[in-house]
Amino acid sequence: DIQMTQSPSSLSASVGDRVTITCRASQSISTYLNWYQHKPGKAPEILIYGVSNLQSGVPSRFSGSGSGTLFTLTISSLQPEDFATYYCQQSYTTPVYTFGQGTKLEI
Amino acid sequence: EVQLVESGGGLIQPGGSLRLSCTVSGFTFRSFAMSWVRQAPGKGLEWVSYIRSSGNTIRYADSVKGRFTIAADNAKNSLDLQMNSLRVEDTAVYYCARGNGSMGGAMDVWGQGTTVTVSS
């Protein structure tokens, strides 16, 4: 099974900061890497699919990069609504998926 | 409007059974894969089960294999998850999510979730 490891597990930042979250796969997943944002009491939302493709409606301050086993999510200038938990997910082995353990972004 | 609405959650004793449903609207159900994903209290997201009814493909996470059964009713546009032999560790918010093949399988639409509590 493919394991997904995110770092850091939690991150404190301020409005306007640039932040980067890293996701490492235990084996190559090509470009089948997706990022989700999850706020308490709400449904998770997709931000980025296929490493770097921004989902429609997602602000351009979000970006993704990487290939193979190492991937990053970058938020260029944090806004108050960005404080949430972020998950990477591999869909390389669809119909079996794996999520990272999550990165909680706090003020 | 594309929408997923889960129902059926509740409080159940260990060893009991529960059936969750996800009603789909706004898209052709049989054209997409569907998954159940859960989040236990204080934990992260965990993929639970997958179905693509058009191709008869079904998969389960090891943690629920043999206890949970996923099914799709294309006529009713609904997705079910039959959960048997429930354990305390199955306590979670359960989400249904659409898998989009044109997005490499990413889950592009999610329901609001339904809460399952397994406790004596």
Side-chain angles (χ1 to χ4, degrees):
Chain A
D1 292 359
I2 295 178
Q3 308 302 317
M4 306 298 292
T5 304
Q6 287 181 234
S7 61
S9 295
S10 63
L11 177 59
S12 294
S14 301
V15 172
D17 284 354
R18 177 185 179 91
V19 300
T20 298
I21 298 169
T22 298
C23 179
R24 186 181 298 270
S26 60
Q27 64 187 74
S28 177
I29 55 171
S30 184
T31 58
Y32 290 86
L33 190 283
N34 314 304
W35 291 98
Y36 299 86
Q37 180 190 68
H38 193 198
K39 296 180 179 179
K42 299 211 166 182
E45 294 184 356
I46 180 136
L47 297 173
I48 290 171
Y49 63 94
V51 177
S52 59
N53 299 289
L54 209 60
Q55 172 68 337
S56 176
V58 174
S60 59
R61 62 181 178 272
F62 291 92
S63 64
S65 64
S67 66
T69 62
L70 189 60
F71 305 90
T72 60
L73 171 70
T74 299
I75 310 172
S76 61
S77 178
L78 274 174
Q79 298 302 300
E81 61 268 28
D82 299 338
F83 293 94
T85 301
Y86 293 85
Y87 294 91
C88 63
Q89 176 209 46
Q90 67 84 13
S91 52
Y92 180 73
T93 57
T94 300
V96 175
Y97 294 87
T98 315
F99 288 92
Q101 81 277 18
T103 295
K104 186 173 184 179
L105 181 51
E106 301 173 297
I107 299 174
Chain B
E1 180 190 5
V2 175
Q3 196 172 14
L4 307 178
V5 178
E6 302 94 338
S7 60
L11 174 63
I12 189 76
Q13 291 188 338
S17 298
L18 208 56
R19 188 175 189 90
L20 306 184
S21 293
C22 171
T23 301
V24 165
S25 59
F27 64 96
T28 304
F29 184 53
R30 71 174 69 86
S31 297
F32 290 86
M34 299 294 296
S35 283
W36 287 96
V37 175
R38 68 185 181 183
Q39 183 180 37
K43 303 292 186 181
L45 299 175
E46 178 190 15
W47 169 78
V48 172
S49 185
Y50 168 107
I51 187 167
R52 186 172 181 90
S53 56
S54 64
N56 294 317
T57 301
I58 289 176
R59 293 291 188 274
Y60 300 97
D62 288 344
S63 57
V64 305
K65 202 173 293 182
R67 301 187 298 121
F68 289 13
T69 302
I70 193 170
D73 187 330
N74 291 329
K76 295 182 178 179
N77 279 354
S78 71
L79 174 72
D80 288 345
L81 186 68
Q82 176 66 41
M83 305 186 296
N84 298 330
S85 303
L86 281 162
R87 304 168 180 168
V88 170
E89 55 265 35
D90 295 319
T91 295
V93 177
Y94 285 74
Y95 300 96
C96 61
R98 186 179 82 170
N100 194 323
S102 65
M103 296 168 62
M107 298 173 182
D108 66 336
V109 183
W110 294 68
Q112 288 297 315
T114 187
T115 300
V116 173
T117 303
V118 184
S119 174
S120 55

